[in-house]
Amino acid sequence: MARLYRAVFACVGWFAVALQYGVTLADNPDSSAGELTLNFFSYFTILSNILVALALTAPVVAPNSRLGRWFAGEGVRAAMAMYIVVVGVVYHFLLAPTWNPQGLALLGNSLLHYVMPAAFVLDWLLFAPKGRLNWKDPAKWLIFPLIYGGWTLIHGALSGWWPYPFVDVGALGLGRVLLNFVGLLVFFLIVGLTVVAIDRTFGRRDRRRVPA
């Protein structure tokens, strides 16, 4: 069951990323492909969805490989769940009201921000081992958002392009953007702690079911 589920949503995930990339190129014919590609892979949404697609693909196509075992690890999958939940929630409450995609853009957007977050969280709930996470783990999982934040500031300062309005230093100023980043990190941490709480609750329940 897990293998089939992951295979299906791995395909959905890769399709969504490819579709969104194609839409990005088609909607910006006057911009260089190199610039568009760099900007495309500078969205946290895209990077998180790629990680999720890899986490679904690797255990299916190469379960015994180093990559397959790494992506199958409970800590890795829990971190991915944290990242993709933040993607869906931030999009729904902060970004969705600001634009109105149509056609293929709407399809790709819905897959990346709603379908894949829900699919991966369900995968984590149903198939990942439970009861092995530590309360300190969410702090370690913040490394990826921190690196992303640093890259966003450097890339934006050099190019003048910002992936999201709440990190636009040109419009908001560096101080406000740094406060926004801190707020996002706190939200990441809250989601991560919730993931650990669910993991530990399920782990206790599963241990009670094991016969003495």
Side-chain angles (χ1 to χ4, degrees):
M1 178 62 179
R3 189 179 181 88
L4 176 61
Y5 181 94
R6 288 170 177 172
V8 169
F9 282 103
C11 292
V12 173
W14 290 120
F15 170 75
V17 172
L19 175 62
Q20 196 69 15
Y21 180 66
V23 168
T24 298
L25 294 179
D27 287 349
N28 299 275
D30 297 328
S31 300
S32 72
E35 179 185 0
L36 290 174
T37 299
L38 179 61
N39 291 347
F40 180 78
F41 289 105
S42 295
Y43 284 100
F44 191 83
T45 294
I46 298 302
L47 297 176
S48 296
N49 271 275
I50 289 173
L51 287 174
V52 162
L54 285 169
L56 293 169
T57 303
V60 173
V61 302
N64 297 318
S65 67
R66 181 177 299 179
L67 191 65
R69 291 193 299 270
W70 188 78
F71 274 113
E74 59 273 11
V76 172
R77 301 192 80 78
M80 303 295 177
M82 180 182 82
Y83 302 147
I84 204 68
V85 164
V86 172
V87 165
V89 172
V90 169
Y91 174 78
H92 183 75
F93 289 103
L94 295 183
L95 299 175
T98 67
W99 76 312
N100 184 32
Q102 301 293 324
L104 291 177
L106 176 61
L107 175 59
N109 183 74
S110 298
L111 292 174
L112 292 171
H113 293 105
Y114 294 116
V115 174
M116 291 309 298
F120 193 78
V121 169
L122 189 58
D123 174 273
W124 177 74
L125 288 171
L126 292 176
F127 306 125
K130 300 295 188 300
R132 303 177 185 176
L133 298 181
N134 188 285
W135 290 111
K136 297 178 182 179
D137 288 337
K140 295 186 293 185
W141 302 340
L142 292 179
I143 293 174
F144 174 48
L146 281 169
I147 293 173
Y148 175 79
W151 162 251
T152 298
L153 292 175
I154 294 170
H155 179 216
L158 294 175
S159 67
W161 178 88
W162 305 94
Y164 303 107
F166 49 81
V167 297
D168 187 341
V169 173
L172 301 177
L174 180 60
R176 176 65 181 276
V177 168
L178 290 177
L179 284 176
N180 288 344
F181 270 128
V182 170
L184 284 170
L185 288 174
V186 171
F187 183 57
F188 271 106
L189 191 60
I190 291 170
V191 173
L193 290 172
T194 303
V195 168
V196 173
I198 294 171
D199 169 85
R200 293 171 76 90
T201 300
F202 279 30
R204 287 194 297 269
R205 184 198 64 182
D206 293 343
R207 284 194 293 270
R208 284 196 296 268
R209 290 181 175 180
V210 176

